[in-house]
Amino acid sequence: MSEDSEARVNTYGFRRDVQLAGGCRFRSGALVLAGVIGVVLLTIDPPRHIVSAAPQADKLKESKFIAEGEKLFAPSCGNAYCHGTSGVGGGAPRLRGKGLEAAYLFKTISNGIPGTAMLSFKSELSEEQIWKLVAFVMSDVKSTSDAKPEASVAGKPSPSTKASAETAASSSITGSAQAGKALFFDSTQSRSCHHCHSLQGEGTSIGPDLSKVESRSPRVLFLSIILPHDIKDPRYATVRLTLRSGDRIVGIKKEEDAESIRVYDTTELPAVLRTIQKTDVVKVESANESVMPKDYASIYTMKQFLDLVTFLKSSESPVTLKDLLE
Amino acid sequence: MIDSRQSQLKRVSLVAIALVVTLAACDQARAQDVNSELTGERLVNARKEPQNWATYFGAYDAWRYSSLDQIRADNVKNLVSVWAFQTGKVEGGLNATPLVVDGIMYLIASENRVFALNAETGERLWTYNYKFPRDLITPYGKFNRGLAVGYGLVFFGTMDNHVVALNASTGKEVWNVEVEDVKKCGCNINGAPFIVKDKVIVGGTGGDSAHRGYISAFNAKTGRLAWRFYTIPGPGEPGHETWPETEIWKYGGGSTWLTGSYDPAQNLIFWGIGNPSSDFNNSVRPGLNLYTDCIVAIDADTGKLKWYYQEIPHDAWDFDSAYEPVLMDITRNGKTEKLLVHPNKSGFVWVLDRVTGKFVNAWPYVDTITWVKSIDKDGALIGRNEPEVGKQSLICPNWGGGRSWNHSSYSPRTGLLYNDGIEWCANVTVIPQEAREGRPFVGGNVDIKPPPDGNIRAHLDAFDPVTGQKKWSVPFKYPILSSLLVTGGDVLFTGDVEGHFLAFDAKTGKQLWSFNTGSGHRGGPITYSVRGRQYVAVPSGLGSIFVSGMPATWPEAANFQTGSAVFVFALPERK
């Protein structure tokens, strides 16, 4: 604990029933509540009628039923803080490949798991909806569109069997927005994107904010990460300063006034915003190339690119390998 | 004609000589002002420059001691106030330790406001106001504990987790680097950086959040990251196996929120690593949880771990080991030992061999300890009393610590470690919680209680640093929240929460002098000298949020005034 949390104790901590578990009061309250609910829930056995309402086992395998479950899954369970878009890679435990049973799933989704972030959904969803979620999770949380060949292929000249196998394979290799986000913001990696880009209000805006690139095609995004490219916006031109001391600084100019020039030195990341007195500068060069690292192709795996692009696209359906190749 | 020309020439050359002399003098003066010659090398020999207080702890050994001896136990009663400086904003109080280098005082106040002052007169030379985002959520407060000075620059960490370097003579920004996005990590920097060789070394908060702590080293001149030491080893690194096979290691805390010490002979930086999180619910992280609650020794050039010693394996009490690692060479039985003496929040002081990292001793500095029965001769914790889910457990000391973070001091003259203590307990309830990156991750709550044997109370003590034998003790009603300072004149200085700046006889504990600064003390007093006159400077300004909670235990504390000022004292000038 640091002085501040210690301080927090003292600010809020001396009051009755103080919750130390958070710096945020609302959160603390929520936790106490969650705790109380949890204890109550633990003591409740699953009501019998729920079990008796279980649909036929066949129903749980019906593709339409599963597909409806998938729709429900995305917003309620698949977000980054929970189980991840496809039941993996989220903040909560993975669901894919767990082989969980129907009755257990139904009970857990209905009641939540006390003491964890797993919320109760029974006030939010009907029993039928919860069964649909159960069906989707039991289908191993795989997108129903993954299984069947691309619909768009139908209009095009009929591909050879081999090509359609490739198509099927390449569209089943998908990215995860959650994993992409983790890569984007990985502060242990000196090359990670957040050192220069912001997205949805997080990260550092040395390069362009990437919140608006979601409209670009996956392929364009992929290429703008792996290939060196000319810059379109002169704000992001690379500057090279040679100083009187002999030091050289490479980076992006932030601003300039009569006496000084402020440059994001990107020699090492995180970039350093340096204020250089003009009297210390011997030479300023500007280049139409990007400071963005040029070696991503040898740093990330294909899967990681898919993750990154899926994250950049902030699309509900994951970007597939096929999308990158087209 | 000739004569006149000759005399003219003579005059010209005289002027030229005068000019050269003046220029040289100017240069000298400038060199002194800018202190650009304050290098890592000079900092190694800081003890040879007692006129300065050039690093957070006064010198690399973290003694908070100065050999200056103009002010002594027998004349300290004559101290007079010389000047005071108001920082202008009281929110957050004044938690810092000022620095003085070559007659200039550098001070940082809450909200990262930095000042350079003439150390003789208090005249302000420049002010720097850090611009921070208006919507900033500061999970760990707006206050700041101190800065570093060297290479003509002033360094500090910010509320929004940047490290900034200012030009020491103008106060203008030279470089600024974002260490990690505060919105992601829920962490920031309020501890003082320090300079080792050509690098500035910085820790950070975040130990009560779902965060993975680290120490970073930046190139002092350029701000470029030189190395980073993660306090929780990642997959494949030794020590990773002390964490479960979940993702919890990414959120396991181990913050580095205070400042380390440095042993130039070994080129090792010593740092106290904070608690694992979630703080009270250790069931989410079975294992030793390295390197939380450890003292780590890391190579100053590379950031590589040389050794570690874990004081509290698998912490369940939030007794992090973040406090000052004090380095001393002590001769016992004809043998000089290179030791590291480390007061811990848990109420114990650990003594380690700082060459090998081996356990030497652990001794209690408070009377009320129930979290563990004892610590055996090998350093093992005997009879751990861990709080459990769904049960209230009375744990002493209270998680606020056997003492707070404000630092101890050590005098090589008396051979004593001066330290404060608080007798208090808390009912701890464990509440399992899920880790969410950058969000609070404490996993429990506490309810402060008096110790079983009476009222909550505090004390100031002098100990043998190795054996823990108590030499003297002075009772206090309220916790001491100011760091301690001991001098070559055998005077021990500190301040109380009511605003009294106090001087004690370092040998006996007898109170010698007191001055009411009007607001309580939460920072670090220092001493320095300019042109032969010794000064003592003390930050005053209780304003810390800590105090807002005191009224529940001490109702009258509701009326303790806030503030943010530095008071400076000296002996009257001999006319």
Side-chain angles (χ1 to χ4, degrees):
Chain A
M1 183 194 82
S2 57
E3 141 77 343
D4 339 284
S5 25
E6 177 185 320
R8 267 187 247 125
V9 181
N10 289 299
T11 316
Y12 318 121
F14 287 86
R15 292 182 199 139
R16 253 176 354 115
D17 215 353
V18 189
Q19 170 45 263
L20 279 181
C24 316
R25 273 159 282 183
F26 69 88
R27 188 183 163 78
S28 311
L31 266 165
V32 172
L33 217 82
V36 172
I37 293 171
V39 171
V40 174
L41 285 176
L42 263 176
T43 59
I44 300 175
D45 276 328
R48 281 180 193 278
H49 78 271
I50 290 180
V51 179
S52 63
Q56 296 290 306
D58 297 357
K59 186 92 179 164
L60 292 177
K61 291 192 184 128
E62 211 177 281
S63 60
K64 189 162 160 277
F65 203 70
I66 293 174
E68 285 173 333
E70 183 188 359
K71 281 202 205 94
L72 289 166
F73 186 88
S76 325
C77 326
N79 77 52
Y81 284 117
C82 300
H83 298 286
T85 30
S86 46
V88 285
R94 64 181 288 146
L95 296 177
R96 181 172 276 189
K98 281 275 181 80
L100 299 170
E101 281 174 26
Y104 172 79
L105 281 169
F106 186 87
K107 185 182 137 195
T108 309
I109 299 170
S110 302
N111 298 342
I113 304 175
T116 75
M118 178 59 196
L119 305 166
S120 154
F121 285 92
K122 64 182 166 204
S123 58
E124 203 177 309
L125 303 173
S126 71
E127 285 186 8
E128 196 193 357
Q129 285 176 313
I130 293 176
W131 279 118
K132 284 173 178 166
L133 277 171
V134 170
F136 176 60
V137 174
M138 288 181 74
S139 79
D140 220 11
V141 209
K142 281 190 183 125
S143 168
T144 41
S145 55
D146 282 358
K148 52 179 195 280
E150 280 285 295
S152 63
V153 177
K156 292 176 186 166
S158 179
S160 71
T161 344
K162 184 166 172 270
S164 68
E166 262 173 18
T167 307
S170 65
S171 52
S172 71
I173 302 175
T174 62
S176 141
Q178 166 66 23
K181 182 175 187 180
L183 268 185
F184 193 95
F185 288 106
D186 185 351
S187 58
T188 66
Q189 294 304 313
S190 65
R191 291 280 208 298
S192 83
C193 323
H194 77 280
H195 287 308
C196 298
H197 293 290
S198 56
L199 203 131
Q200 289 146 15
E202 290 176 344
T204 308
S205 306
I206 292 170
D209 179 77
L210 296 183
S211 304
K212 289 191 200 86
V213 300
E214 58 185 349
S215 58
R216 299 201 193 151
S217 77
R219 187 180 149 83
V220 165
L221 286 174
F222 174 54
L223 294 180
S224 59
I225 301 172
I226 57 164
L227 294 182
H229 47 273
D230 284 349
I231 49 136
K232 289 166 228 108
D233 186 337
R235 274 184 301 169
Y236 303 117
T238 299
V239 292
R240 286 202 179 79
L241 301 185
T242 309
L243 304 188
R244 266 205 306 180
S245 60
D247 288 352
R248 280 163 64 85
I249 298 174
V250 178
I252 294 179
K253 187 166 87 182
K254 182 173 193 249
E255 57 203 12
E256 186 173 352
D257 61 23
E259 280 124 45
S260 61
I261 163 166
R262 303 186 84 201
V263 176
Y264 283 110
D265 176 354
T266 54
T267 313
E268 299 285 341
L269 297 178
V272 185
L273 178 58
R274 296 178 67 176
T275 307
I276 315 280
Q277 297 307 309
K278 284 188 170 163
T279 48
D280 290 337
V281 179
V282 187
K283 196 157 101 189
V284 184
E285 297 156 278
S286 183
N288 194 30
E289 63 182 51
S290 175
V291 296
M292 192 158 145
K294 293 173 183 60
D295 53 358
Y296 284 125
S298 52
I299 294 177
Y300 291 134
T301 64
M302 207 62 213
K303 171 74 174 90
Q304 286 175 312
F305 283 117
L306 280 172
D307 295 340
L308 275 172
V309 173
T310 303
F311 174 59
L312 291 179
K313 289 284 292 172
S314 52
S315 54
E316 293 197 356
S317 55
V319 170
T320 66
L321 182 56
K322 183 165 172 281
D323 298 329
L324 288 199
L325 300 176
E326 303 196 310
Chain B
M1 196 56 190
I2 288 168
D3 272 349
S4 102
R5 199 192 295 155
Q6 261 180 346
S7 67
Q8 224 173 349
L9 259 176
K10 217 161 146 191
R11 229 177 297 144
V12 169
S13 53
L14 267 175
V15 170
I17 288 166
L19 213 83
V20 167
V21 169
T22 322
L23 280 177
C26 278
D27 256 12
Q28 230 165 16
R30 199 173 324 130
Q32 247 166 27
D33 286 348
V34 181
N35 68 61
S36 56
E37 78 287 15
L38 183 63
T39 56
E41 213 166 297
R42 203 177 130 189
L43 286 172
V44 168
N45 297 308
R47 289 248 162 266
K48 295 193 184 121
E49 299 183 26
Q51 72 274 17
N52 293 332
W53 188 279
T55 68
Y56 180 64
F57 290 120
Y60 282 141
D61 48 32
W63 288 356
R64 290 196 49 79
Y65 164 83
S66 164
S67 62
L68 292 179
D69 58 2
Q70 198 174 75
I71 299 166
R72 297 181 313 268
D74 61 5
N75 65 13
V76 64
K77 63 177 188 300
N78 301 328
L79 282 183
V80 293
S81 60
V82 182
W83 57 264
F85 177 77
Q86 299 284 350
T87 78
K89 262 191 192 177
V90 297
E91 193 199 349
L94 190 56
N95 294 253
T97 295
L99 300 183
V100 172
V101 178
D102 300 334
I104 297 176
M105 178 181 289
Y106 302 92
L107 175 71
I108 185 162
S110 60
E111 295 190 357
N112 303 137
R113 294 169 296 130
V114 186
F115 307 91
L117 310 170
N118 178 322
E120 279 183 287
T121 64
E123 180 203 354
R124 191 167 50 87
L125 305 174
W126 52 256
T127 301
Y128 170 89
N129 289 311
Y130 183 66
K131 289 191 197 71
F132 55 94
R134 286 191 169 260
D135 60 352
L136 180 71
I137 295 167
T138 44
Y140 293 87
K142 289 184 168 180
F143 61 87
N144 190 293
R145 297 193 182 88
L147 22 79
V149 180
Y151 299 101
L153 300 169
V154 175
F155 307 90
F156 60 96
T158 73
M159 293 179 287
D160 60 346
N161 213 28
H162 289 228
V163 176
V164 177
L166 307 178
N167 181 314
S169 47
T170 65
K172 295 257 161 42
E173 194 173 299
V174 173
W175 57 255
N176 175 328
V177 61
E178 180 178 49
V179 180
E180 197 180 351
D181 185 352
V182 65
K183 293 192 286 302
K184 292 286 298 175
C185 71
C187 62
N188 67 1
I189 303 167
N190 50 32
F194 77 124
I195 292 169
V196 174
K197 296 184 169 176
D198 58 348
K199 299 183 180 70
V200 49
I201 320 290
V202 196
T205 66
D208 310 313
S209 309
H211 182 249
R212 180 185 180 207
Y214 48 78
I215 301 166
S216 311
F218 296 93
N219 182 303
K221 284 183 182 154
T222 64
R224 291 176 190 155
L225 184 66
W227 53 254
R228 179 169 290 177
F229 171 78
Y230 279 93
T231 61
I232 299 179
E237 292 172 335
H240 187 69
E241 72 287 352
T242 65
W243 293 84
E245 275 174 34
T246 61
E247 300 273 274
I248 200 77
W249 62 275
K250 289 185 187 166
Y251 310 119
S255 69
T256 51
W257 52 283
L258 289 169
T259 305
S261 52
Y262 173 61
D263 181 352
Q266 299 189 77
N267 196 33
L268 289 179
I269 290 171
F270 303 100
W271 209 292
I273 309 300
N275 58 284
S277 52
S278 54
D279 306 25
F280 298 107
N281 182 17
N282 62 2
S283 67
V284 296
R285 43 177 170 80
L288 294 174
N289 308 140
L290 294 176
Y291 300 101
T292 65
D293 287 0
C294 286
I295 288 287
V296 296
I298 50 187
D299 184 288
D301 298 331
T302 62
K304 293 269 179 301
L305 184 73
K306 173 84 184 296
W307 59 254
Y308 70 90
Y309 181 83
Q310 189 170 40
E311 295 170 341
I312 305 179
H314 195 47
D315 187 354
W317 308 273
D318 187 13
F319 286 152
D320 55 353
S321 298
Y323 297 172
E324 65 282 356
V326 189
L327 313 183
M328 43 184 102
D329 295 352
I330 290 195
T331 307
R332 293 191 297 169
N333 316 323
K335 215 180 115 218
T336 301
E337 292 169 281
K338 285 175 173 287
L339 300 177
L340 184 155
V341 175
H342 183 236
N344 181 292
K345 206 162 123 199
S346 64
F348 285 94
V349 169
W350 265 266
V351 184
L352 307 177
D353 179 319
R354 74 170 185 274
V355 177
T356 61
K358 292 273 172 334
F359 177 85
V360 174
N361 191 19
W363 50 268
Y365 64 85
V366 290
D367 306 330
T368 325
I369 294 181
T370 66
W371 68 276
V372 74
K373 280 216 168 60
S374 61
I375 298 179
D376 76 8
K377 63 172 191 358
D378 301 317
L381 305 183
I382 309 296
R384 290 165 65 108
N385 172 19
E386 294 189 19
E388 290 165 43
V389 182
K391 228 179 93 179
Q392 273 203 343
S393 323
L394 187 73
I395 303 288
C396 317
N398 167 39
W399 78 324
R403 58 157 248 229
S404 184
W405 60 266
N406 43 290
H407 309 295
S408 61
S409 69
Y410 167 72
S411 165
R413 287 173 51 85
T414 62
L416 299 175
L417 181 79
Y418 303 93
N419 191 58
D420 75 277
I422 312 167
E423 307 299 331
W424 59 349
C425 304
N427 268 333
V428 177
T429 312
V430 179
I431 302 172
Q433 189 185 0
E434 197 211 0
R436 288 187 173 187
E437 186 185 4
R439 302 295 227 92
F441 191 39
V442 178
N445 68 33
V446 304
D447 186 10
I448 294 170
K449 294 280 173 213
D453 66 346
N455 295 330
I456 297 180
R457 58 195 188 274
H459 40 87
L460 173 67
D461 315 281
F463 295 101
D464 178 304
V466 183
T467 65
Q469 194 199 356
K470 200 181 275 187
K471 293 295 152 91
W472 56 255
S473 181
V474 179
F476 275 79
K477 185 172 181 192
Y478 308 109
I480 292 175
L481 301 179
S482 161
S483 289
L484 310 180
L485 163 71
V486 65
T487 69
D490 293 333
V491 186
L492 177 71
F493 290 97
T494 190
D496 68 22
V497 290
E498 293 170 280
H500 301 103
F501 186 38
L502 305 165
F504 298 88
D505 185 324
K507 290 184 185 140
T508 63
K510 182 172 175 248
Q511 188 179 316
L512 302 171
W513 175 80
S514 149
F515 182 95
N516 188 351
T517 63
S519 179
H521 295 241
R522 189 66 176 122
I526 62 164
T527 186
Y528 60 91
S529 75
V530 186
R531 294 194 290 155
R533 191 178 188 201
Q534 183 185 357
Y535 298 87
V536 181
V538 65
S540 156
L542 195 53
S544 141
I545 324 170
F546 186 101
V547 182
S548 334
M550 287 181 64
T553 312
W554 302 280
E556 65 281 15
N559 297 323
F560 290 175
Q561 294 298 325
T562 179
S564 181
V566 171
F567 286 76
V568 177
F569 304 88
L571 293 173
E573 262 178 314
R574 273 176 293 240
K575 292 276 153 57

